[in-house]
Amino acid sequence: MGRVENIHKMLPLMASIAVFVVISFVTINASRAADPLAKEQVLRYALNASDASTFEPHRIGGGQDKLVAGLLFSGLLRYPPGNEINLEPDLATSWEASSDKKEWVFHLRKGVKFHPFPGYPSGYELTADDVVYSFKRAANPNYSAASADYKGMTFEPVDTYTFKVICENPISEILMLPRFANLRGGFIVCKKAMEEKGEDWAKTNPVGTGPFIFKSYEPRQKTVLIQNATYFRGAPLLNEVVIRYMPLVSSRELGLQSGELEMAEGQVDSKWVEKMNSLPGIKALTYGPSETSVLHINMAKAPFNDIRVRKALSYGISREQEAQLMGEMIAVPLYSPTLAPPATGAITKEEAMQAGVVYEDNVPMAKQLLAEAGYPNGFKTEVIISEMTGYKKTMIDLKEQLKRVGIELELNVVDHPSFHNLIRKDSSSLVLYHVWRANIDASLGNFFHSDSIVVTGKQADVNFSHMASIDDLIMKARDETDSAKQIALWKEAQIAILKEVAVVPLTRKKTVYAIKSYVDLGHKATWMWTTSNAQISEQTKILTH
């Protein structure tokens, strides 16, 4: 095996995971390092969500759950706070692959302790048994929303601190490593807590190895986490993190101004950023590239089983208008059905136009296609949408745009956890989804492989469009270890998706939040992909004020 002692030896490879737009982000002045800490090290952070959905890390969907999972749990690797383009060792200190890229061995950090739980007041040391248990669970669709990521893999302990993955097919580093990082199925759970306390207990008492320990949860109010004094990277500077659920932006604004909050998830709107920046002691920060906003069309349900109707829908939408709605500081038009350029393998506007798969902003063409499909007077369709501002605002604008061509959207607005639950039950003909994935393969597999079709798929995930014609391309690209050929296959698969009009790519959005001037995140933000966690870490602290 070719030993890889440190991820930094693989930076050229990892840089190819994705190359993104430079972040627009306000960083904390370096001179603060010498500033005295406030007596009360409590960070209160309000999310644009009405409630938590789940504390089971392998089931997480919404951003509010990603935040909590990221603070409670660890992966074998992690995206370091503020610099998420590169992976680094976390629970694993090193790893290596066989020459055929079918066997991967991870060497675990010694002395890592799980959080305390009943029967284990001091926790216990993480071993390969916990890691094997975690990935077997992550690979099981009964327990995991990310099971498709581990298809064809088997897991076994080599010894107490060594863990092996055996793959049916070769897999490149660019695809392998993100599956074992601190996202989705990559989180390591506590085997003894799950087995000895039971599934029901574990659902509301998450036990991990992260910088913070679960303390309490009040439905529709808050989740409270406390310092993990034995965290392997060092005890966090914060004693407590309070996650508040506040779907109303006005409530979050008031909380910041009154001192009830130190941080708040923002509104994806340039005017909101300007408003927050005008307030004393508050800064609104935007970072990206963050998520893509894509409208998924259920091709299994009439009238969208007719490609003419799907094209008409797409022709009725202006991506430029969608981007302008958010503001140039927040969003740009998107033509890729997966990640946004310049992520490796993503489709650019020029490539989409060259392939003849750009159907946008042409009302006469949309009306003509609807008439040909038997809908000269248009039609109505119900759409389930989240109450979260970024979702609801976008869908309201789409509703107004589509009126021009005769398509009437009847919006059923629900809370965010219900939204995620309902769309996974195939309850909406159109699904607006904001998403980030670690690479093109993850996005293709989750959203466009037939095994991932909601409800009926073998490993049902988030294939809302019922796309089923590019399985071979996805698998061929996944098995390819030559990067140039792999990228070409990814692009071919994405063009096929756009030809079927399974989705309408809308915009690439940035994440927005506001922060009090006395909060020091503890790192310089350079590249950030994920959402909601606002890069809280063991280094985050409250300065005197």
Side-chain angles (χ1 to χ4, degrees), residues 229-288:
T230 62
Y231 181 51
F232 60 89
R233 291 183 179 274
L237 296 171
L238 293 172
N239 292 323
E240 189 171 277
V241 177
V242 181
I243 309 301
R244 297 286 304 276
Y245 303 107
M246 290 185 174
L248 295 178
V249 67
S250 57
S251 297
R252 301 195 298 277
E253 291 176 9
L254 182 62
L256 285 166
Q257 295 178 67
S258 68
E260 179 188 355
L261 300 172
E262 282 69 46
M263 297 176 67
E265 192 172 353
Q267 185 165 307
V268 186
D269 186 295
S270 294
K271 291 182 178 179
W272 190 87
V273 171
E274 294 171 1
K275 177 183 178 181
M276 289 296 101
N277 283 334
S278 70
L279 298 175
I282 299 174
K283 295 296 291 185
L285 309 180
T286 66
Y287 66 84

Side-chain angles (χ1 to χ4, degrees), residues 139-291:
N140 188 334
N142 294 325
Y143 302 113
S144 172
S147 59
D149 291 346
Y150 306 95
K151 185 177 180 181
M153 295 183 185
T154 57
F155 314 98
E156 59 185 51
V158 177
D159 57 39
T160 303
Y161 301 110
T162 312
F163 161 71
K164 179 188 285 189
V165 185
I166 303 169
C167 307
E168 285 184 3
N169 300 300
I171 184 168
S172 63
E173 288 89 348
I174 194 174
L175 296 184
M176 181 69 172
L177 297 183
R179 288 170 164 81
F180 296 85
N182 55 334
L183 185 72
R184 286 171 60 86
F187 288 117
I188 303 303
V189 299
C190 180
K191 178 181 179 181
K192 290 182 180 178
M194 302 288 281
E195 290 186 338
E196 295 183 17
K197 306 305 294 184
E199 291 287 335
D200 290 340
W201 182 90
K203 286 178 181 178
T204 53
N205 295 274
V207 179
T209 58
F212 294 93
I213 297 171
F214 179 83
K215 179 182 179 182
S216 63
Y217 163 65
E218 295 179 33
R220 305 185 73 86
Q221 295 296 319
K222 63 184 178 181
T223 296
V224 180
L225 312 178
I226 58 175
Q227 177 196 69
N228 177 12
T230 62
Y231 181 51
F232 60 89
R233 291 183 179 274
L237 296 171
L238 293 172
N239 292 323
E240 189 171 277
V241 177
V242 181
I243 309 301
R244 297 286 304 276
Y245 303 107
M246 290 185 174
L248 295 178
V249 67
S250 57
S251 297
R252 301 195 298 277
E253 291 176 9
L254 182 62
L256 285 166
Q257 295 178 67
S258 68
E260 179 188 355
L261 300 172
E262 282 69 46
M263 297 176 67
E265 192 172 353
Q267 185 165 307
V268 186
D269 186 295
S270 294
K271 291 182 178 179
W272 190 87
V273 171
E274 294 171 1
K275 177 183 178 181
M276 289 296 101
N277 283 334
S278 70
L279 298 175
I282 299 174
K283 295 296 291 185
L285 309 180
T286 66
Y287 66 84
S290 194
E291 298 178 313

